Amino acid sequence: MGAVTAKGAATRQRIVEGAAAAIRDIGVMDTTLDDVRARTATSKSQLFHYFPGGKEELLLAVARFEADRVLSDQQPYLGDLTSWASWQAWRDQVVDRYRRQGRQCPLNVVMSQVGHSTPGAQAVVTELMRRWESEIAAGVRHMQAAGEIGPAVQPEEAAAALLAGIQGGVLLHLSTGRLTHLEAALDMGIRHLRGSP
Amino acid sequence: MGAVTAKGAATRQRIVEGAAAAIRDIGVMDTTLDDVRARTATSKSQLFHYFPGGKEELLLAVARFEADRVLSDQQPYLGDLTSWASWQAWRDQVVDRYRRQGRQCPLNVVMSQVGHSTPGAQAVVTELMRRWESEIAAGVRHMQAAGEIGPAVQPEEAAAALLAGIQGGVLLHLSTGRLTHLEAALDMGIRHLRGSP
DNA sequence: CCCCTTCTGGACCTGCCGGTCCATTCTGCC
DNA sequence: GGCAGAATGGACCGGCAGGTCCAGAAGGGG
């Protein structure tokens, strides 16, 4: 039953990407299954064939798809925070990513619909944040080992604060259209690390 | 036409508060006008009598209602950040507010539905953030005048970073259920200010 | 070439929910 | 007490969007 051909997998992928694009364009709450159907040149039965759980399951797949992009868009710098130059490059990359993305955070917008209710969706965002934070903390630890950050700094706490600043900066970017908060949070966080004993 | 009796005003208020409660309980996208009607012991015609713009206008009123609470819940400390003790009390109050509120941010959840699309809703959140940030910046400036914070710190940038940390901390609280990010962001931000030349 | 599974198309159904309407009751004022 | 305007009750509607169903095409092992 679980058998799926290459063609089927391609269709499924097309549906997810089309749904993601639709959500980016018109928002979650205005995106209907018919919109997705039209965009992806599929039929209603295909949607339910690949996502028996209906709309909720499709949204979850979209959330996973978008969550993966968030981290991969930050590579290779995020995975290699081993010098202040890397930190700065990473900072610039994050800011630029959200500048290019404009006032749209597909993941945030998906989560706010399906997020707090269903455990599956919550797991997606929790896991994303866990990995994100863990990569930052690894960077802090590496800089500590190199003597660039003082031993008094707790890597987990610093990573948590930095991540919170990023999330809030992005959120404020969505609301106000300005990137100043994101930049301020990153700059202040990094400056704090650099100046720590 | 714009005439409204005391009774009418009371009903309108009851509707807003009931709608806010409903949204807190079951989420925006699951809250129907019938839910609000049942909760507030009103009739359909009353809803449209007081909110001719329908659901969208009602949601906007709820957003305003919740936005007002956000700032007033932080008083009196937020308006009087004139000593490190005040800053700490404010920090504790913010953390405690969101601890008590649980994993619900009515404002965030309302904005995510109606937020990015309509200009009215956007104005509500933008204005809230502007006032919030401005009060923090005033606190920074006051501490600078008292010589407790170095002159190198730019009040606006510091306030922006702090606000971003708070927003992100709250967002992560919603997702993960933990307050560690909010605490870390506030603590790191304040520590940075205290240790600044 | 045959048969079984997967894949696709699209008509159809159905419940829900925002919104409309009018009749009735209440309120305040002269 | 009567009347104008506000407030209320609730039946009704219309469309839309999620979901179902079945018939048929495609595909791929044997």
Coordinates of all heavy atoms in Angstrom, one line a residue, chain A residues 41-120:
Chain A
A41 N -1.6 22.1 -11.1 CA -2.2 21.2 -12.2 C -2.4 19.8 -11.7 O -2.0 18.9 -12.3 CB -1.3 21.3 -13.4
T42 N -3.1 19.7 -10.6 CA -3.5 18.4 -10.1 C -5.0 18.4 -9.9 O -5.7 19.3 -10.1 CB -2.8 18.1 -8.8 OG1 -3.0 19.3 -7.9 CG2 -1.3 17.9 -9.0
S43 N -5.4 17.2 -9.4 CA -6.9 17.1 -9.2 C -7.1 16.9 -7.7 O -6.2 16.6 -6.9 CB -7.4 16.0 -10.0 OG -6.9 14.8 -9.5
K44 N -8.3 17.1 -7.3 CA -8.6 17.0 -5.9 C -8.2 15.6 -5.4 O -7.7 15.5 -4.2 CB -10.2 17.2 -5.8 CG -10.7 17.9 -4.5 CD -10.2 19.3 -4.4 CE -10.9 20.0 -3.3 NZ -12.3 20.1 -3.5
S45 N -8.5 14.6 -6.1 CA -8.2 13.3 -5.6 C -6.7 13.0 -5.4 O -6.3 12.3 -4.5 CB -8.7 12.2 -6.6 OG -8.0 12.3 -7.8
Q46 N -5.9 13.7 -6.2 CA -4.4 13.6 -6.0 C -4.0 14.2 -4.6 O -3.2 13.6 -3.9 CB -3.7 14.3 -7.1 CG -3.6 13.5 -8.4 CD -3.1 14.3 -9.5 OE1 -3.7 15.2 -10.0 NE2 -1.9 13.9 -10.0
L47 N -4.6 15.3 -4.3 CA -4.3 15.9 -3.0 C -4.6 15.0 -1.9 O -3.8 14.8 -1.0 CB -5.1 17.2 -2.9 CG -4.5 18.5 -3.2 CD1 -3.7 18.5 -4.5 CD2 -5.5 19.7 -3.2
F48 N -5.7 14.4 -2.0 CA -6.1 13.5 -0.9 C -5.4 12.1 -1.0 O -5.4 11.4 0.0 CB -7.6 13.3 -0.8 CG -8.3 14.5 -0.1 CD1 -8.6 15.6 -0.9 CD2 -8.5 14.6 1.2 CE1 -9.2 16.8 -0.4 CE2 -9.0 15.7 1.8 CZ -9.4 16.8 1.0
H49 N -5.0 11.8 -2.2 CA -4.2 10.6 -2.3 C -2.9 10.7 -1.6 O -2.4 9.7 -0.9 CB -4.0 10.3 -3.8 CG -3.3 9.0 -4.1 ND1 -3.8 7.8 -3.9 CD2 -2.0 8.8 -4.6 CE1 -2.9 6.9 -4.2 NE2 -1.8 7.5 -4.7
Y50 N -2.2 11.8 -1.8 CA -0.9 11.9 -1.2 C -0.9 12.5 0.2 O 0.0 12.4 0.9 CB 0.0 12.8 -2.1 CG 0.3 12.2 -3.5 CD1 -0.4 12.6 -4.6 CD2 1.1 11.1 -3.5 CE1 -0.1 12.0 -5.8 CE2 1.3 10.4 -4.7 CZ 0.7 10.9 -5.9 OH 0.9 10.3 -7.1
F51 N -2.0 13.1 0.5 CA -2.2 13.6 1.9 C -3.5 13.2 2.4 O -4.5 14.0 2.5 CB -2.0 15.2 1.9 CG -0.7 15.6 1.4 CD1 -0.6 16.0 0.0 CD2 0.4 15.6 2.1 CE1 0.6 16.4 -0.5 CE2 1.7 16.0 1.6 CZ 1.8 16.4 0.3
P52 N -3.6 12.0 2.9 CA -4.9 11.4 3.3 C -5.5 12.3 4.5 O -6.7 12.3 4.7 CB -4.6 10.0 3.8 CG -3.3 9.7 3.1 CD -2.5 11.0 3.0
G53 N -4.6 12.9 5.2 CA -5.1 13.7 6.4 C -5.6 15.0 6.0 O -6.0 15.8 6.8
G54 N -5.7 15.2 4.7 CA -6.3 16.5 4.2 C -5.5 17.7 4.4 O -4.2 17.6 4.4
K55 N -6.1 18.8 4.5 CA -5.4 20.1 4.5 C -4.3 20.1 5.6 O -3.2 20.7 5.4 CB -6.4 21.2 4.7 CG -5.8 22.6 4.4 CD -6.8 23.7 4.5 CE -6.3 25.0 3.9 NZ -7.2 26.1 4.1
E56 N -4.7 19.6 6.8 CA -3.8 19.7 7.9 C -2.5 19.0 7.6 O -1.4 19.5 7.9 CB -4.4 19.2 9.1 CG -3.6 19.3 10.4 CD -4.4 19.1 11.6 OE1 -5.6 19.5 11.7 OE2 -3.8 18.5 12.6
E57 N -2.6 17.8 7.0 CA -1.4 17.1 6.7 C -0.5 17.8 5.6 O 0.7 17.8 5.7 CB -1.7 15.7 6.2 CG -0.5 14.8 6.0 CD -0.9 13.3 5.7 OE1 -2.1 13.0 5.9 OE2 -0.1 12.6 5.2
L58 N -1.2 18.4 4.7 CA -0.5 19.1 3.7 C 0.3 20.3 4.3 O 1.4 20.6 4.0 CB -1.5 19.6 2.6 CG -0.9 20.6 1.5 CD1 0.3 19.9 0.8 CD2 -2.0 21.0 0.5
L59 N -0.4 21.0 5.1 CA 0.2 22.2 5.8 C 1.4 21.8 6.6 O 2.5 22.4 6.6 CB -0.8 22.9 6.7 CG -1.8 23.7 6.0 CD1 -2.8 24.4 7.0 CD2 -1.2 24.8 5.2
L60 N 1.3 20.6 7.2 CA 2.5 20.1 8.0 C 3.6 19.8 7.1 O 4.8 20.1 7.4 CB 2.0 18.8 8.7 CG 2.9 18.3 9.8 CD1 3.1 19.4 10.9 CD2 2.4 17.1 10.4
A61 N 3.4 19.2 5.9 CA 4.4 19.0 4.9 C 5.1 20.3 4.5 O 6.3 20.4 4.3 CB 3.9 18.2 3.8
V62 N 4.2 21.3 4.3 CA 4.8 22.6 3.8 C 5.7 23.2 5.0 O 6.7 23.7 4.7 CB 3.6 23.6 3.5 CG1 4.2 25.0 3.3 CG2 2.9 23.1 2.3
A63 N 5.2 23.0 6.2 CA 6.0 23.5 7.3 C 7.4 22.8 7.3 O 8.4 23.5 7.5 CB 5.3 23.3 8.6
R64 N 7.4 21.5 7.2 CA 8.7 20.8 7.1 C 9.5 21.3 6.0 O 10.7 21.6 6.1 CB 8.4 19.3 7.0 CG 8.3 18.6 8.3 CD 8.3 17.1 8.1 NE 7.0 16.6 7.8 CZ 6.2 16.1 8.8 NH1 6.6 16.1 10.0 NH2 5.0 15.6 8.5
F65 N 8.9 21.5 4.9 CA 9.7 22.0 3.7 C 10.3 23.4 4.0 O 11.5 23.6 3.7 CB 8.7 22.1 2.5 CG 9.2 22.7 1.2 CD1 10.1 22.0 0.5 CD2 8.9 24.0 0.8 CE1 10.6 22.5 -0.7 CE2 9.4 24.5 -0.3 CZ 10.2 23.8 -1.1
E66 N 9.5 24.2 4.5 CA 10.0 25.6 4.8 C 11.1 25.6 5.9 O 12.1 26.3 5.9 CB 8.9 26.5 5.2 CG 7.9 26.8 4.1 CD 8.4 27.7 3.0 OE1 9.6 28.1 3.0 OE2 7.7 27.9 2.0
A67 N 10.9 24.7 6.9 CA 11.8 24.7 8.0 C 13.2 24.2 7.6 O 14.2 24.7 8.0 CB 11.3 23.7 9.1
D68 N 13.2 23.3 6.6 CA 14.5 22.8 6.1 C 15.2 23.9 5.4 O 16.5 24.1 5.5 CB 14.3 21.7 5.1 CG 14.0 20.4 5.8 OD1 14.3 20.3 7.0 OD2 13.5 19.4 5.2
R69 N 14.5 24.8 4.7 CA 15.1 25.9 4.0 C 15.8 26.9 4.9 O 16.8 27.5 4.6 CB 14.1 26.6 3.1 CG 13.6 25.7 2.0 CD 12.5 26.5 1.3 NE 13.0 27.7 0.7 CZ 12.8 28.1 -0.5 NH1 12.3 27.3 -1.4 NH2 13.3 29.3 -0.9
V70 N 15.1 27.1 6.1 CA 15.6 28.1 7.0 C 17.1 27.8 7.3 O 18.0 28.7 7.3 CB 14.8 28.2 8.2 CG1 15.4 29.0 9.3 CG2 13.4 28.7 7.9
L71 N 17.4 26.6 7.7 CA 18.7 26.3 8.1 C 19.7 26.2 7.0 O 20.8 26.7 7.0 CB 18.8 25.0 8.9 CG 18.3 25.1 10.4 CD1 18.5 23.8 11.1 CD2 19.0 26.2 11.1
S72 N 19.2 25.6 5.9 CA 20.2 25.4 4.8 C 20.5 26.7 4.1 O 21.6 26.9 3.6 CB 19.5 24.4 3.7 OG 18.4 25.0 3.2
D73 N 19.6 27.7 4.3 CA 19.9 29.0 3.7 C 21.1 29.7 4.5 O 21.6 30.7 4.0 CB 18.7 29.9 3.8 CG 17.8 29.6 2.6 OD1 18.1 28.7 1.8 OD2 16.7 30.3 2.5
Q74 N 21.3 29.2 5.7 CA 22.4 29.8 6.5 C 23.7 29.2 6.4 O 24.7 29.6 7.0 CB 21.9 29.8 8.0 CG 20.7 30.7 8.2 CD 20.3 30.7 9.7 OE1 21.1 31.0 10.6 NE2 19.1 30.2 10.0
Q75 N 23.7 28.1 5.6 CA 25.0 27.4 5.5 C 25.8 28.1 4.4 O 25.2 28.7 3.5 CB 24.8 25.9 5.1 CG 24.0 25.2 6.2 CD 24.7 25.2 7.6 OE1 25.9 25.6 7.7 NE2 24.0 24.8 8.6
P76 N 27.1 28.0 4.3 CA 27.9 27.1 5.3 C 28.3 27.9 6.5 O 28.9 27.3 7.4 CB 29.2 26.9 4.4 CG 29.3 28.1 3.6 CD 27.9 28.6 3.3
Y77 N 28.0 29.2 6.6 CA 28.5 29.9 7.8 C 28.0 29.4 9.1 O 28.8 29.3 10.1 CB 28.2 31.4 7.6 CG 28.8 32.0 6.3 CD1 28.0 32.4 5.3 CD2 30.2 32.1 6.2 CE1 28.6 32.9 4.1 CE2 30.7 32.6 5.0 CZ 29.9 33.0 4.0 OH 30.5 33.5 2.9
L78 N 26.7 29.2 9.2 CA 26.2 28.8 10.5 C 26.9 27.5 11.1 O 27.1 27.4 12.3 CB 24.7 28.5 10.4 CG 24.0 28.0 11.7 CD1 24.1 28.9 12.8 CD2 22.5 27.7 11.4
G79 N 27.3 26.6 10.2 CA 28.0 25.4 10.7 C 29.5 25.6 10.9 O 30.1 24.7 11.3
D80 N 29.9 26.8 10.7 CA 31.4 27.0 10.8 C 31.7 28.4 11.5 O 32.4 29.2 10.9 CB 32.0 26.9 9.4 CG 33.5 27.1 9.4 OD1 34.2 26.3 10.1 OD2 34.0 28.0 8.7
L81 N 31.1 28.5 12.6 CA 31.3 29.8 13.3 C 32.6 29.8 14.1 O 32.7 29.8 15.4 CB 30.1 30.1 14.3 CG 28.8 30.3 13.6 CD1 27.7 30.4 14.6 CD2 28.8 31.6 12.7
T82 N 33.7 29.7 13.4 CA 35.0 29.5 14.0 C 35.9 30.7 14.0 O 37.1 30.6 14.4 CB 35.7 28.3 13.3 OG1 35.8 28.6 11.9 CG2 35.0 27.0 13.5
S83 N 35.4 31.8 13.5 CA 36.2 33.0 13.5 C 35.2 34.2 13.5 O 34.1 34.1 13.1 CB 37.1 33.1 12.3 OG 36.4 33.4 11.1
W84 N 35.7 35.3 14.0 CA 34.8 36.5 14.0 C 34.4 36.9 12.6 O 33.3 37.4 12.4 CB 35.5 37.7 14.7 CG 35.6 37.5 16.1 CD1 36.8 37.6 16.9 CD2 34.6 37.2 17.1 NE1 36.6 37.3 18.2 CE2 35.2 37.1 18.4 CE3 33.2 37.0 17.0 CZ2 34.5 36.8 19.5 CZ3 32.5 36.7 18.1 CH2 33.1 36.6 19.4
A85 N 35.2 36.6 11.6 CA 34.8 36.8 10.2 C 33.6 36.0 9.8 O 32.7 36.4 9.1 CB 36.0 36.6 9.3
S86 N 33.7 34.7 10.3 CA 32.6 33.8 10.0 C 31.3 34.3 10.7 O 30.2 34.3 10.1 CB 32.9 32.4 10.5 OG 33.4 31.6 9.5
W87 N 31.4 34.7 11.9 CA 30.3 35.3 12.6 C 29.6 36.4 11.9 O 28.4 36.5 11.7 CB 30.6 35.7 14.0 CG 30.8 34.6 15.0 CD1 31.8 33.7 15.1 CD2 29.8 34.1 16.0 NE1 31.6 32.8 16.1 CE2 30.3 33.0 16.6 CE3 28.5 34.6 16.3 CZ2 29.6 32.4 17.7 CZ3 27.8 33.9 17.3 CH2 28.4 32.8 18.0
Q88 N 30.5 37.3 11.4 CA 30.0 38.5 10.7 C 29.4 38.1 9.4 O 28.3 38.6 9.0 CB 31.2 39.4 10.4 CG 30.7 40.8 10.0 CD 29.9 41.5 11.1 OE1 30.1 41.3 12.3 NE2 28.9 42.3 10.6
A89 N 30.0 37.1 8.7 CA 29.4 36.7 7.4 C 28.0 36.0 7.6 O 27.1 36.2 6.9 CB 30.4 35.7 6.7
W90 N 28.0 35.3 8.7 CA 26.7 34.6 9.1 C 25.6 35.7 9.4 O 24.5 35.6 8.8 CB 26.9 33.7 10.3 CG 25.6 33.2 10.9 CD1 24.7 32.4 10.3 CD2 25.1 33.5 12.2 NE1 23.6 32.2 11.1 CE2 23.9 32.9 12.3 CE3 25.6 34.3 13.2 CZ2 23.1 33.0 13.5 CZ3 24.8 34.4 14.4 CH2 23.6 33.7 14.5
R91 N 26.0 36.7 10.2 CA 25.1 37.8 10.5 C 24.6 38.4 9.2 O 23.4 38.7 9.1 CB 25.9 38.7 11.4 CG 25.1 40.0 11.8 CD 25.6 41.1 10.9 NE 25.0 42.4 11.3 CZ 24.5 43.3 10.4 NH1 24.4 43.0 9.1 NH2 24.1 44.5 10.9
D92 N 25.5 38.7 8.3 CA 25.1 39.4 7.1 C 24.2 38.5 6.3 O 23.2 39.0 5.6 CB 26.4 39.8 6.2 CG 27.2 40.9 6.9 OD1 26.6 41.6 7.8 OD2 28.4 41.0 6.6
Q93 N 24.5 37.2 6.3 CA 23.7 36.3 5.5 C 22.2 36.2 6.0 O 21.3 36.2 5.2 CB 24.3 34.9 5.5 CG 23.9 34.0 4.4 CD 24.6 32.7 4.5 OE1 25.0 32.3 5.6 NE2 24.7 32.0 3.4
V94 N 22.1 36.2 7.3 CA 20.8 36.1 7.9 C 20.0 37.4 7.6 O 18.9 37.3 7.1 CB 20.9 36.0 9.5 CG1 19.6 36.2 10.1 CG2 21.5 34.6 9.8
V95 N 20.6 38.5 7.8 CA 19.9 39.8 7.5 C 19.5 39.8 6.0 O 18.4 40.2 5.7 CB 20.8 41.0 7.8 CG1 20.2 42.3 7.3 CG2 21.1 41.1 9.3
D96 N 20.5 39.4 5.2 CA 20.2 39.4 3.7 C 19.1 38.5 3.3 O 18.2 38.8 2.5 CB 21.4 39.1 2.9 CG 21.4 39.8 1.6 OD1 21.2 41.0 1.5 OD2 21.5 39.0 0.6
R97 N 19.1 37.3 4.0 CA 18.0 36.4 3.6 C 16.7 36.9 3.9 O 15.7 36.8 3.1 CB 18.2 35.1 4.5 CG 17.2 34.0 4.2 CD 16.7 33.3 5.5 NE 15.3 33.0 5.4 CZ 14.8 31.8 5.1 NH1 15.6 30.8 4.8 NH2 13.5 31.6 5.0
Y98 N 16.5 37.6 5.0 CA 15.2 38.1 5.3 C 14.9 39.4 4.6 O 13.7 39.7 4.3 CB 15.0 38.3 6.9 CG 14.9 36.9 7.5 CD1 15.9 36.3 8.2 CD2 13.7 36.2 7.4 CE1 15.8 35.1 8.8 CE2 13.5 35.0 8.0 CZ 14.6 34.4 8.7 OH 14.5 33.2 9.2
R99 N 15.9 40.1 4.2 CA 15.7 41.3 3.3 C 15.1 40.8 2.0 O 14.2 41.3 1.5 CB 17.0 42.0 3.1 CG 16.9 43.1 2.0 CD 18.1 43.9 1.9 NE 18.4 44.7 3.1 CZ 19.5 44.6 3.8 NH1 20.5 43.8 3.4 NH2 19.7 45.4 4.8
R100 N 15.7 39.8 1.5 CA 15.3 39.2 0.2 C 13.9 38.6 0.3 O 13.1 38.7 -0.6 CB 16.2 38.2 -0.4 CG 17.3 38.8 -1.3 CD 17.9 37.7 -2.2 NE 18.4 36.6 -1.4 CZ 19.7 36.5 -1.0 NH1 20.5 37.5 -1.2 NH2 20.1 35.5 -0.3
Q101 N 13.7 38.0 1.4 CA 12.4 37.3 1.6 C 11.2 38.3 1.7 O 10.1 38.0 1.5 CB 12.4 36.4 2.8 CG 11.2 35.5 2.9 CD 11.4 34.5 4.0 OE1 11.3 34.7 5.2 NE2 11.8 33.3 3.6
G102 N 11.6 39.5 2.0 CA 10.5 40.5 2.1 C 9.7 40.3 3.4 O 10.1 39.6 4.3
R103 N 8.5 40.8 3.4 CA 7.7 40.8 4.6 C 6.9 39.5 4.6 O 5.7 39.5 4.8 CB 6.9 42.0 4.7 CG 7.7 43.3 4.6 CD 6.9 44.5 4.7 NE 6.2 44.5 6.0 CZ 5.5 45.5 6.4 NH1 5.5 46.6 5.8 NH2 4.9 45.4 7.6
Q104 N 7.6 38.4 4.4 CA 6.9 37.1 4.4 C 7.7 36.1 5.2 O 8.9 35.9 4.9 CB 6.7 36.6 3.0 CG 5.6 37.3 2.2 CD 4.3 37.0 2.8 OE1 4.1 36.0 3.5 NE2 3.3 37.8 2.4
C105 N 7.1 35.5 6.1 CA 7.8 34.4 6.8 C 6.9 33.2 6.7 O 6.0 33.0 7.6 CB 8.2 34.7 8.2 SG 9.1 33.3 9.0
P106 N 7.1 32.4 5.7 CA 6.1 31.3 5.4 C 6.0 30.4 6.6 O 4.9 30.0 6.9 CB 6.7 30.6 4.2 CG 7.7 31.5 3.6 CD 8.2 32.4 4.7
L107 N 7.1 30.1 7.2 CA 7.1 29.2 8.3 C 6.2 29.8 9.5 O 5.3 29.1 10.0 CB 8.5 28.9 8.8 CG 8.6 27.8 9.9 CD1 8.0 26.5 9.4 CD2 10.0 27.6 10.3
N108 N 6.5 31.0 9.8 CA 5.8 31.7 10.9 C 4.3 31.7 10.6 O 3.5 31.4 11.5 CB 6.3 33.1 11.1 CG 5.5 33.8 12.1 OD1 5.3 33.3 13.2 ND2 5.1 35.0 11.8
V109 N 4.0 31.9 9.4 CA 2.6 32.1 9.0 C 1.9 30.7 9.0 O 0.7 30.6 9.4 CB 2.5 32.8 7.7 CG1 2.4 31.8 6.5 CG2 1.4 33.8 7.7
V110 N 2.6 29.7 8.7 CA 2.0 28.3 8.7 C 1.9 27.9 10.2 O 0.8 27.4 10.6 CB 2.9 27.3 8.0 CG1 2.5 25.9 8.3 CG2 2.9 27.6 6.5
M111 N 2.9 28.2 11.0 CA 2.8 27.8 12.4 C 1.7 28.4 13.1 O 1.1 27.8 14.0 CB 4.2 28.1 13.1 CG 5.3 27.3 12.5 SD 5.0 25.6 12.0 CE 4.8 24.9 13.6
S112 N 1.5 29.7 12.8 CA 0.5 30.4 13.6 C -0.9 29.8 13.3 O -1.8 30.0 14.1 CB 0.5 31.9 13.2 OG 0.2 32.0 11.8
Q113 N -1.1 29.2 12.2 CA -2.4 28.6 11.9 C -2.5 27.2 12.6 O -3.4 26.9 13.3 CB -2.6 28.4 10.4 CG -3.6 27.3 10.1 CD -4.6 27.7 9.0 OE1 -4.4 28.6 8.3 NE2 -5.7 27.0 9.0
V114 N -1.5 26.4 12.3 CA -1.6 25.0 12.7 C -0.7 24.7 13.9 O -0.8 23.7 14.5 CB -1.2 24.1 11.5 CG1 0.3 24.0 11.3 CG2 -1.8 22.7 11.7
G115 N 0.1 25.8 14.2 CA 1.2 25.6 15.2 C 0.9 25.1 16.6 O 1.3 24.0 17.0
H116 N 0.1 25.9 17.3 CA 0.0 25.6 18.7 C -0.9 24.5 19.0 O -0.9 23.9 20.0 CB -0.4 26.9 19.4 CG 0.4 28.1 19.0 ND1 1.7 28.1 19.2 CD2 0.0 29.2 18.4 CE1 2.2 29.3 18.7 NE2 1.1 29.9 18.2
S117 N -1.7 24.2 18.0 CA -2.7 23.1 18.3 C -2.1 21.7 18.1 O -2.1 20.9 19.1 CB -3.9 23.3 17.4 OG -3.5 23.6 16.1
T118 N -1.7 21.4 17.0 CA -1.3 20.0 16.7 C 0.1 19.7 17.2 O 1.0 20.5 17.0 CB -1.4 19.7 15.2 OG1 -0.2 20.2 14.6 CG2 -2.6 20.4 14.6
P119 N 0.3 18.6 17.7 CA 1.6 18.2 18.2 C 2.6 18.1 17.1 O 3.8 18.4 17.3 CB 1.4 16.9 19.0 CG 0.1 16.4 18.4 CD -0.7 17.5 18.0
G120 N 2.2 17.6 16.0 CA 3.1 17.4 14.8 C 3.8 18.7 14.4 O 5.0 18.7 14.2

